[in-house]
Structures are given as C-alpha cells and as structure tokens.
Amino acid sequence: MADAVKIPQTVEEAHQQGYATERKTLEEAQAIMRAGAIAGILRDGPHRDCSTLPPNHKCWEGDCDPSGWKEVLFCDGTQGCTIYAKVRCR
C-alpha cells in the first residue's frame, strides 16, 4: 500500500503532520484505552509500558474508525500513556 497513511510514532511526528495533542489525566487515558478494548479496536494489544519507552513515544493505538480516524496515546515522560491525539488513518 503505497498510499498508506503514516501513523505518528511520537508527539513530534504528530505535530509535524499537523495534529494537535492533548494531555489527558491518567483516568481519561485509561477510559480511552478501555473503550477501545471493549470495542475490540486494539490494533497492537494493550498499551505499552512507558517505563520502557522514551517520553513522547506512542504507547497505544486504537483501530481506524469508519470515518477514517483513530485515537493514539503517547508517553508523557512522567505519569504514563496520557498524551492524546486523533489522527487520520486513511
């Protein structure tokens, strides 16, 4: 797929691609991930442990919704997987 949409792997990539990011509380981030899990839209399983990832790195990615968007979360460097962005996936 040559025209596949590149999902940002870091907060910096998200900003370079023109997406806004938003810091969520731990509870809000967990609710986003829980909703994704309930809907069966976890693309790469449960979120990755931010203690093993650099700050601003992608730690969770939902599935592409029918309108062509997906939710992603990035490590915040302190609390965990709490920096939110909604990105185009097709």
Side-chain angles (χ1 to χ4, degrees):
M1 279 174 51
D3 62 346
V5 175
K6 185 178 181 329
I7 302 302
Q9 299 301 302
T10 64
V11 169
E12 290 79 9
E13 282 182 23
H15 291 166
Q16 286 165 5
Q17 293 176 29
Y19 299 116
T21 56
E22 177 185 349
R23 185 176 291 263
K24 298 287 190 183
T25 66
L26 212 44
E27 293 75 28
E28 288 170 330
Q30 287 169 342
I32 290 165
M33 290 186 274
R34 207 166 27 252
I38 290 167
I41 61 168
L42 283 186
R43 197 183 70 76
D44 46 24
H47 79 282
R48 295 171 61 198
D49 182 359
C50 284
S51 69
T52 65
L53 294 168
N56 296 330
H57 199 280
K58 186 184 76 175
C59 45
W60 183 85
E61 181 176 332
D63 224 357
C64 207
D65 70 22
S67 62
W69 290 88
K70 72 165 56 181
E71 296 179 307
V72 291
L73 290 164
F74 303 93
C75 299
D76 65 13
T78 53
Q79 283 193 291
C81 195
T82 63
I83 299 177
Y84 172 86
K86 195 159 190 174
V87 302
R88 296 291 306 171
C89 46
R90 61 169 167 262

